[in-house]
Amino acid sequence: MTDLAGAISTFGLVVFGFYVLISGGYLLIHLAALVRLRDRILGRYWKPVYDPLNDPFLPGITIVVPAYNEKSVITSSAESFLNVNYPELEVVIVNDGSTDGTLERLREHFDLEPVEAPVPVEEIPCEPVHQVYQSATVENLRVVDKENGGKGDAHNAGIWLANTELFCITDADTVMKPSCLRRLIRPFLNHPAEMVAVGSPIRVSNGATIRGGLVERAGLSDSHLANLQKVEYIRAFLSGRMGLDQLNSLLLISGAFGLFRTDVTREMGGYDSDSIVEDIEFTIRLHKHLRDRDRSYRVAYEPFPLVWTQVPEDRRTLSNQRRRWYRGLVETLSKHRDVLFKPRYGFVGLFGVPFFLFAEGAGRIVEATSYAVVPLAVLLGVFDPWHALLLTGLAMAYGVFLTWLSLFSEVWSTRQYDRSRDVAALMGYAVVEFVGYRQWRTVVSMIGLVEYLRGENDWGAMERLSLETEEA
Amino acid sequence: MTAALVAVAAIDPLTSASLAVFAGFVLVGAATLGGSLYFGRRNRRRDDDIETLRSAIVPLANHADTDWESWVEQLPDKRRERLRPLIRRQLPHVSGEYRRALRSLAITLDLDDRARTRLESSDERTRLEALNWLTLLDVPVDEDVLFRPEASPRERAVVARYLYERSGAAAAETATEYLLADGEPIPGYGLETLYRFNRADPRPLLDALEKWVVWDRTLTVQTLSVLRSCEPAAPDLALRRLVPCLNADAAATRAMAIHALGPYVGTVDVGEHVAVESLVSDPSTRVRTAAYRQFADAEDHAVVDLLAEAVIREDDENCKYAGVSYLAAHFERRGETPASVRQLLSWYDQTGDEQRFSWPVQWDMEWEHTEPPEVTT
């Protein structure tokens, strides 16, 4: 018993030290995000006297949209992509072996005609392409029909058939602001030689008022689960990614919206078709690829949200998604462990990847273990109940504090939620997150870990809701 | 304050940590909710004020003799503060009488003097915004304040834009030289301004290209991409400047130099001045495709026959397809097609008829784009 108590005591000290370190890291990231936001808010009011729509040298962009069983949303989201206000724009939808009639819906709606010319590119790193279609009514729309291969695989099909300097990846359920690409292109215009990738925050569309493919108003959903995810997304995108970008450690440009150089991506061999978190794997590999070649480059993060995406509203789908994210994170960190603590990879290697490994990777394991060990420690008398309660409360309060800091960033900068009652509600969800939801998410991550160790690798399904708000 | 903090820290580490977190909690919570209320109210009031002002300005703008000074004086202070952002937001997008009226209003508010003063700031962002105002208000500025040797590419681009709006093509030489002086890549809006200055007469740009060997490679490609879109002028000068770029180390530079020669293909004897044979044998598909595209319009049939032979030998199918598409038009105009080329054209026809479209050439064309649209002034 004494040995057990001793072990638990030692474990407790390790966990405490681990927690203090990780908490410090999160605070650093949040504060870095505030500094970046402050700079951006000031800089926001500087724009050149210049109309990009009139610029003949504006780089062309191909929006690449992987679609797997997206029948309910694909035509409205395609319309939204085609409505993006950008001079040289192509849209390539990649039907990734859908079984629900996605392709038929597209063929009917856009009057697609098969292109007779053989696919000239033999070495696209993706599953076989059945047919490429060109819309007879919309000149800049093409659809690629191929064997199912996953999101990264579908990206590659679109990227290799793109004919523009840049490509933008997005999801089929993403709603884009018409001005989104004119905003996202700015870092490329400011640094034409070095910029290789730009991301921006994604907002949750559940509960938003959407008409004609445009988000008229952000709002809260009837689904508590969706609202909890709204809080998560604000924290992750407005603080997490922003802060990491400020610290030159941005590891993830979301697959829901990112702008990249086509030539660099092809040089890298495109996305990893086998990865279930293709976006983070790609971003880390991008850093490695360019640093291994001693190339001067930049990756940027635009602070103002330009796109909206759906999140799961049922626990089963959310669980699938989070298990996949955790499996993918572990797999990616394992694959790229050679980056860890290596100065040649700059802050990505010295801070970004290690922080993800300890905070997002190992941190979940430590947290899950604590849920079992702390009560045991109290039972064994190793840990004073009052102190246990206080420390647990402190940890939760600190988490809420960081989340409220992110909400403060939102209120101060982007103000997507312009009603104070919505902000108050989100603050409430930030508290609720730490009483039940977070614990559930940790357990789900551990299931994901077990699945990873068992070699499971599937994507899971998500039921799409219609993008448009129904008239009352 | 210090004593209080020391006292708290002395109580108990856990308790002090709890108090710190609780304090942070309360502070951030209050700032968030309070901020939401404050910014919401402020923004609504701001938007209402701006709309009221805008509605008031529109009818006044139609009168040439509006007494802006009296109108501004009768405004409450808060409303007066809104005028600057209103004018800044509207000026880039309006023209005619309304634009003139906004300018007059801005000068009444001394925004021109404010911009001149802020141009001397040590903060780049302040200077950039000052330059924007000077551009929008068409205000004269001393050259020694305008041109700074240590200016960043971004600042140079904004200065060039100011010069374009003030002086148009008359400032082409000065602005082109200033934009390219540090040999670093220029931002997108600078590239567009460079094009505006040189599109009708690219001589300043051709002159500046003499220094390409010491420039950043991206700047060279940018300059060549602008030249590609300009009207041809001074063919001798163009050849003197562009032909050396065909020997650059970087394929992107060689390819873009070929594109920049494109406007001159109809007026010079390409075969005499350009080693077409070596370009169509270049290891880069980008360079070969550029050569097929630009030289397919050459008057010299010997050059085009050389291209055709190269396309027949071409290993890369995309490059071959692109080459044939460019040559097909030439041979149609010519009216006579050699036997070897007939076979090539037949292969091209078989790959698809009405539904044929241009397959992307496997990555290559940096800044490849179709004919530039007319840049409106």
Side-chain angles (χ1 to χ4, degrees):
Chain A
M1 200 62 141
T2 312
D3 287 341
L4 178 61
I8 289 174
S9 187
T10 308
F11 175 79
L13 283 170
V14 168
V15 166
F16 182 74
F18 181 88
Y19 176 76
V20 167
L21 213 61
I22 297 302
S23 300
Y26 277 123
L27 184 62
L28 175 66
I29 290 170
H30 275 69
L31 294 176
L34 283 172
V35 170
R36 170 57 65 91
L37 270 175
R38 181 209 62 188
D39 288 347
R40 289 293 185 174
I41 285 169
L42 291 178
R44 184 185 195 186
Y45 296 103
W46 185 78
K47 279 185 255 200
V49 175
Y50 159 78
D51 181 7
L53 294 180
N54 243 346
D55 180 359
F57 301 97
L58 206 63
I61 295 178
T62 299
I63 299 179
V64 175
V65 190
Y68 177 70
N69 289 351
E70 306 280 6
K71 182 180 171 184
S72 62
V73 300
I74 194 64
T75 51
S76 43
S77 59
E79 295 281 9
S80 137
F81 303 142
L82 290 164
N83 278 338
V84 167
N85 192 357
Y86 194 81
E88 194 181 330
L89 179 72
E90 293 212 343
V91 176
V92 175
I93 298 176
V94 182
N95 180 49
D96 194 37
S98 300
T99 56
D100 70 340
T102 297
L103 178 63
E104 289 66 35
R105 175 67 66 90
L106 283 167
R107 285 183 76 163
E108 205 179 289
H109 190 85
F110 291 108
D111 199 8
L112 298 180
E113 291 173 356
V115 174
E116 295 299 339
V119 176
V121 181
E122 282 157 13
E123 286 140 22
I124 309 177
C126 71
E127 293 297 313
V129 171
H130 298 312
Q131 180 67 59
V132 177
Y133 297 87
Q134 167 73 50
S135 169
T137 49
V138 182
E139 200 185 329
N140 58 334
L141 173 66
R142 277 182 271 167
V143 173
V144 179
D145 181 37
K146 61 182 277 296
E147 293 278 324
N148 177 256
K151 204 164 163 193
D153 198 81
H155 281 147
N156 290 341
I159 291 163
W160 256 259
L161 290 173
N163 193 25
T164 50
E165 185 184 347
L166 305 175
F167 70 90
C168 169
I169 49 162
T170 188
D171 288 338
D173 67 334
T174 299
V175 177
M176 288 185 173
K177 281 188 174 178
S179 62
C180 63
L181 291 182
R182 279 178 8 239
R183 298 285 292 270
L184 212 63
I185 194 73
R186 281 185 207 161
F188 283 96
L189 296 181
N190 285 329
H191 304 282
E194 293 176 314
M195 195 60 63
V196 296
V198 179
S200 89
I202 317 291
R203 286 302 162 91
V204 172
S205 62
N206 305 53
T209 307
I210 301 175
R211 291 210 169 82
L214 294 176
V215 173
E216 287 183 353
R217 180 166 226 156
L220 297 190
S221 169
D222 292 334
S223 159
H224 294 305
L225 207 53
N227 293 333
L228 283 165
Q229 290 170 83
K230 282 181 192 282
V231 168
E232 277 187 301
Y233 273 56
I234 289 171
R235 186 176 58 228
F237 284 98
L238 207 51
S239 294
R241 310 271 166 95
M242 191 85 62
L244 285 170
D245 183 42
Q246 178 71 3
L247 297 168
N248 293 321
S249 305
L250 185 62
L251 293 192
L252 171 51
I253 290 177
S254 173
F257 192 57
L259 189 61
F260 302 86
R261 282 190 65 123
T262 312
D263 56 350
V264 173
T265 304
R266 287 183 184 163
E267 194 180 272
M268 285 167 58
Y271 282 77
D272 180 352
S273 296
D274 294 328
S275 175
I276 50 174
V277 285
E278 80 296 337
D279 44 12
I280 185 173
E281 194 283 329
F282 178 81
T283 314
I284 295 177
R285 191 155 45 89
L286 176 69
H287 284 293
K288 279 175 72 175
H289 177 83
L290 295 169
R291 284 190 176 269
D292 284 343
R293 285 152 185 77
D294 291 323
R295 287 213 216 147
S296 170
Y297 73 99
R298 286 173 189 252
V299 171
Y301 196 73
E302 277 296 288
F304 296 98
L306 303 167
V307 301
W308 300 72
T309 195
Q310 283 187 9
V311 296
E313 290 190 351
D314 65 282
R315 269 191 306 175
R316 185 178 171 160
T317 310
L318 182 59
S319 169
N320 281 342
Q321 183 192 67
R322 297 310 171 96
R323 289 189 340 258
R324 174 173 63 81
W325 285 4
Y326 194 76
R327 282 201 313 270
L329 175 71
V330 173
E331 175 190 271
T332 301
L333 292 175
S334 171
K335 180 179 174 185
H336 294 295
R337 61 187 181 275
D338 55 332
V339 168
L340 276 172
F341 301 118
K342 297 266 172 51
R344 80 170 279 109
Y345 297 113
F347 282 102
V348 169
L350 294 173
F351 179 75
V353 173
F355 186 77
F356 257 65
L357 173 65
F358 289 110
E360 300 290 326
R364 298 276 170 98
I365 300 170
V366 169
E367 188 176 335
T369 316
S370 302
Y371 292 148
V373 170
V374 167
L376 182 63
V378 169
L379 275 171
L380 292 177
V382 176
F383 206 2
D384 175 63
W386 161 246
H387 280 132
L389 209 60
L390 191 59
L391 275 173
T392 305
L394 198 56
M396 287 180 173
Y398 185 73
V400 173
F401 161 72
L402 288 179
T403 309
W404 282 6
L405 200 55
S406 305
L407 288 172
F408 171 72
S409 302
E410 148 71 18
V411 156
W412 179 40
S413 63
T414 63
R415 289 198 54 76
Q416 299 292 299
Y417 298 94
D418 54 2
R419 287 185 291 208
S420 299
R421 63 172 185 266
D422 286 346
V423 172
L426 288 171
M427 290 173 73
Y429 278 109
V431 176
V432 168
E433 184 191 357
F434 285 86
V435 186
Y437 176 72
R438 185 187 172 93
Q439 289 73 22
W440 172 83
R441 207 183 55 201
T442 303
V443 169
V444 161
S445 299
M446 292 305 98
I447 298 172
L449 179 63
V450 169
E451 289 170 349
Y452 168 76
L453 294 170
R454 292 210 304 233
E456 292 179 28
N457 205 19
D458 71 315
W459 275 73
M462 173 158 164
E463 189 195 321
R464 296 287 187 212
L465 307 169
S466 169
L467 288 178
E468 293 287 303
T469 302
E470 288 183 6
E471 300 293 346
Chain B
M1 177 72 162
T2 317
L5 286 170
V6 167
V8 162
I11 298 168
D12 172 275
L14 192 55
T15 309
S16 359
S18 306
L19 285 171
V21 171
F22 179 72
F25 198 77
V26 168
L27 207 65
V28 170
T32 305
L33 209 47
S36 174
L37 287 163
Y38 169 73
F39 290 122
R41 197 171 299 160
R42 185 198 71 171
N43 292 352
R44 272 191 302 276
R45 203 174 293 153
R46 182 196 61 199
D47 293 344
D48 288 342
D49 279 349
I50 286 180
E51 187 47 39
T52 306
L53 285 169
R54 200 193 61 77
S55 305
I57 290 172
V58 168
L60 291 173
N62 291 328
H63 298 284
D65 54 357
T66 297
D67 182 359
W68 289 111
E69 203 146 335
S70 304
W71 182 76
V72 167
E73 262 171 41
Q74 52 86 38
L75 289 176
D77 287 341
K78 252 303 188 267
R79 285 259 168 101
R80 210 176 296 175
E81 283 169 35
R82 309 279 191 220
L83 284 174
R84 185 160 55 87
L86 168 66
I87 295 170
R88 177 62 180 92
R89 204 184 292 179
Q90 299 224 313
L91 255 182
H93 307 292
V94 299
S95 58
E97 284 300 324
Y98 191 60
R99 188 181 176 87
R100 269 187 282 278
L102 285 181
R103 274 203 184 128
S104 302
L105 178 55
I107 289 166
T108 304
L109 293 166
D110 293 327
L111 296 181
D112 53 340
D113 288 338
R114 183 176 185 270
R116 273 200 202 91
T117 308
R118 290 168 78 85
L119 187 60
E120 301 189 37
S121 167
S122 57
D123 176 59
E124 188 190 58
R125 195 181 286 132
T126 306
R127 286 200 307 277
L128 292 176
E129 185 56 12
L131 281 164
N132 274 351
W133 274 107
L134 294 168
T135 305
L136 291 168
L137 298 179
D138 194 19
V139 171
V141 172
D142 285 337
E143 278 192 8
D144 51 7
V145 180
L146 197 59
F147 297 113
R148 298 168 66 250
E150 67 276 26
S152 67
R154 187 160 71 151
E155 187 172 338
R156 289 172 189 272
V158 180
V159 167
R161 192 53 178 229
Y162 166 80
L163 290 171
Y164 180 78
E165 298 294 341
R166 281 280 298 164
S167 316
E173 216 170 292
T174 308
T176 300
E177 196 181 311
Y178 189 60
L179 260 172
L180 304 175
D182 65 354
E184 293 298 314
I186 52 183
Y189 36 91
L191 203 65
E192 193 245 1
T193 306
L194 191 65
Y195 170 65
R196 284 174 177 252
F197 272 121
N198 288 275
R199 62 182 158 161
D201 181 358
R203 269 177 286 207
L205 199 49
L206 286 167
D207 277 334
L209 188 60
E210 193 180 15
K211 296 186 191 141
W212 72 277
V213 285
V214 299
W215 284 352
D216 182 283
R217 190 205 97 182
T218 301
L219 179 62
T220 307
V221 176
Q222 286 180 314
T223 304
L224 292 168
S225 74
V226 171
L227 281 167
R228 174 192 181 181
S229 305
C230 295
E231 293 295 321
D236 291 341
L237 177 62
L239 286 170
R240 270 207 313 279
R241 295 286 181 259
L242 293 174
V243 169
C245 297
L246 298 174
N247 298 318
D249 289 337
T253 307
R254 296 197 299 278
M256 200 52 77
I258 296 172
H259 285 301
L261 278 170
Y264 300 91
V265 163
T267 54
V268 301
D269 184 348
V270 172
E272 192 185 316
H273 299 280
V274 176
V276 176
E277 177 76 55
S278 90
L279 293 175
V280 297
S281 310
D282 195 287
S284 163
T285 52
R286 177 190 301 203
V287 174
R288 298 200 303 272
T289 309
Y292 300 145
R293 176 164 178 166
Q294 299 300 343
F295 301 146
D297 287 334
E299 294 294 321
D300 185 346
H301 290 181
V303 167
V304 183
D305 289 345
L306 210 128
L307 292 180
E309 282 164 30
V311 172
I312 290 167
R313 288 195 307 266
E314 180 60 64
D315 286 330
D316 185 283
E317 188 147 303
N318 291 313
C319 212
K320 188 180 192 114
Y321 189 91
V324 178
S325 69
Y326 301 135
L327 288 169
H330 169 89
F331 284 106
E332 204 174 301
R333 281 197 307 273
R334 203 168 169 184
E336 47 149 339
T337 312
S340 55
V341 178
R342 249 181 268 138
Q343 199 177 7
L344 193 65
L345 293 176
S346 159
W347 167 83
Y348 174 72
D349 286 336
Q350 278 166 20
T351 57
D353 194 13
E354 284 159 16
Q355 285 159 19
R356 173 198 308 144
F357 65 94
S358 174
W359 283 105
V361 175
Q362 260 312 271
W363 182 246
D364 264 346
M365 299 312 233
E366 231 176 52
W367 295 293
E368 162 78 309
H369 57 88
T370 51
E371 295 310 305
E374 187 59 24
V375 172
T376 60
T377 50

